[in-house]
Amino acid sequence: MTIQTHRNTGNNLPIRLVIHGGAGAVKPGKQRRDREQAYMEALAQSLIAGHGVLAAGGSSIDAVIAAIAVMEDCPLFNAGKGSVFTHDGRNELEASIMEGSTRAAGAVAGVTTIRNPIRAAHAVMTKSPHVMLIGQGAEIFAAEQGLEIVNPSYFYTQYRWNQLQKAIAKESILRDHDAGLDTLPGEDEKRGTVGAVALDCHGHLAAGTSTGGLTNKHSGRVGDSSIIGAGTYADNRSAAVSTTGTGEMFIRTAAAFSTAAQVRFLHTPLTEAADNTLAEIAAMGGDGGLIVLDAEGNYTMRFNTGAMFRGTIGEDGIARTGIFFGPETPVMSS
């Protein structure tokens, strides 16, 4: 398990953004350097977008949206443009978002025409009295709010389609994370759920998560990414959390809320709280990772898989990313 963690020892409340792009059984040594660099740069673009919001005095919610939207628009990740297919050959997307000062939250699930589900989740939070909308109702609402609606074919990518065909042939449901970086489009490439947690200059936290789910999943299946308390949670009194992994287990353990609750009620250090949650999930046969950030700027990125695509950026504006065990490193553009 990674030891990636950081504790703020200063008196300031620094801005901070932490992101993930999925966790899974990716092993060092299998990657091709160009593919690894592509993911590092995509993560860096997400970090820079979110940091731009925070550095300008913007809110943590807006920073989370900006960071996640970049990953939703990137076909490398299993969210938005890069989403995997259901057994029926559809892309069914989900996302959620939560604000830490009021604990307002919004989510969408089972959507097929909303370009950026994270924006739709935010619209549900801010423009409706509800927390979650699903399917056609969510899509009608998103259109009414002026969000970008696309033809379902927008989400089609050949390598995700090929991945579905392999899964059907094997009669298996495939997680989106468990493949090496040496695969190329058209091969069995699986990538992950995306998420972000942020702290703004006002001391407010926010968290968000977005995914396309599981390859060959049953139509209508909803995972943890759109469920407040499972895949996403934010509370200024504890922490902001976004998760990735075996969604059913994250739902059954209320993983995001459980982590934050340990921090709030038991005063458990972030890293220990995250590890406790992952240990409970592992005991149920699941795995994955989560990112956690508190209102003092302390954060941790923990996973019990071979890798987790991740990154962070603070007041210095330097995007640091990582995939395997070890410290995150500054991204150098190719």
Side-chain angles (χ1 to χ4, degrees):
M1 181 177 293
T2 181
I3 58 172
Q4 297 319 301
T5 187
H6 171 80
R7 180 165 180 79
N8 173 35
T9 58
N11 296 320
N12 297 324
L13 293 178
I15 59 174
R16 174 63 58 179
L17 175 68
V18 186
I19 66 172
H20 70 75
V26 183
K27 296 181 180 180
K30 285 190 173 183
Q31 74 274 21
R32 292 177 181 171
R33 183 59 189 173
D34 58 340
R35 299 297 292 166
E36 179 180 347
Q37 184 67 19
Y39 280 97
M40 293 291 201
E41 291 183 358
L43 290 168
Q45 290 170 9
S46 170
L47 289 167
I48 291 168
H51 178 266
V53 174
L54 296 174
S59 70
S60 54
I61 277 285
D62 287 342
V64 163
I65 294 169
I68 290 179
V70 168
M71 291 187 282
E72 287 179 335
D73 288 344
C74 176
L76 294 176
F77 301 101
N78 176 22
K81 176 63 176 174
S83 292
V84 299
F85 288 90
T86 68
H87 179 77
D88 297 332
R90 289 158 47 92
N91 304 104
E92 295 182 2
L93 288 60
E94 61 184 274
S96 62
I97 195 164
M98 187 169 184
E99 197 274 330
S101 64
T102 64
R103 283 172 289 160
V108 295
V111 297
T112 62
T113 64
I114 302 172
R115 174 172 173 168
N116 294 112
I118 194 65
R119 298 190 189 279
H122 181 248
V124 172
M125 183 184 87
T126 57
K127 304 295 184 181
S128 85
H130 309 301
V131 171
M132 177 181 281
L133 294 178
I134 66 171
Q136 186 178 24
E139 294 170 344
I140 292 172
F141 174 79
E144 291 173 345
Q145 301 307 312
L147 299 183
E148 185 172 357
I149 303 299
V150 296
N151 188 287
S153 62
Y154 165 81
F155 300 106
Y156 179 94
T157 56
Q158 187 63 49
Y159 68 91
R160 293 297 192 193
W161 182 256
N162 293 347
Q163 182 180 324
L164 172 64
Q165 305 315 307
K166 292 182 180 181
I168 291 175
K170 295 177 181 178
E171 297 184 349
S172 62
I173 297 174
L174 299 176
R175 279 190 7 178
D176 48 347
H177 319 292
D178 299 336
L181 290 177
D182 56 336
T183 52
L184 295 172
E187 297 180 308
D188 191 19
E189 185 170 10
K190 315 173 189 71
R191 281 296 167 266
T193 294
V194 306
V197 292
L199 172 66
D200 62 32
C201 63
H202 309 290
H204 297 316
L205 294 168
T209 312
S210 180
T211 192
L214 299 172
T215 298
N216 200 28
K217 67 183 180 181
H218 195 288
S219 179
R221 180 264 185 183
V222 176
D224 63 309
S225 296
S226 58
I227 299 178
I228 299 301
T232 300
Y233 196 76
D235 186 341
N236 284 2
R237 300 169 299 179
S238 55
V241 185
S242 176
T243 75
T244 177
T246 45
E248 279 68 17
M249 280 68 167
F250 280 77
I251 294 172
R252 291 162 60 189
T253 58
F257 175 77
S258 175
T259 304
Q262 292 175 63
V263 174
R264 181 185 173 197
F265 297 113
L266 302 178
H267 308 291
T268 308
L270 300 187
T271 298
E272 183 180 345
D275 288 351
N276 290 341
T277 298
L278 290 175
E280 183 178 7
I281 289 168
M284 300 174 70
D287 60 15
L290 63 166
I291 53 177
V292 190
L293 173 68
D294 71 17
E296 294 181 350
N298 306 310
Y299 66 91
T300 192
M301 295 176 271
R302 305 292 283 181
F303 55 98
N304 58 6
T305 53
M308 183 168 75
F309 295 77
R310 64 193 188 274
T312 186
I313 193 169
E315 291 183 319
D316 62 7
I318 299 174
R320 292 176 170 84
T321 65
I323 298 175
F324 305 109
F325 296 145
E328 294 75 39
T329 58
V331 176
M332 306 301 293
S333 298
S334 60

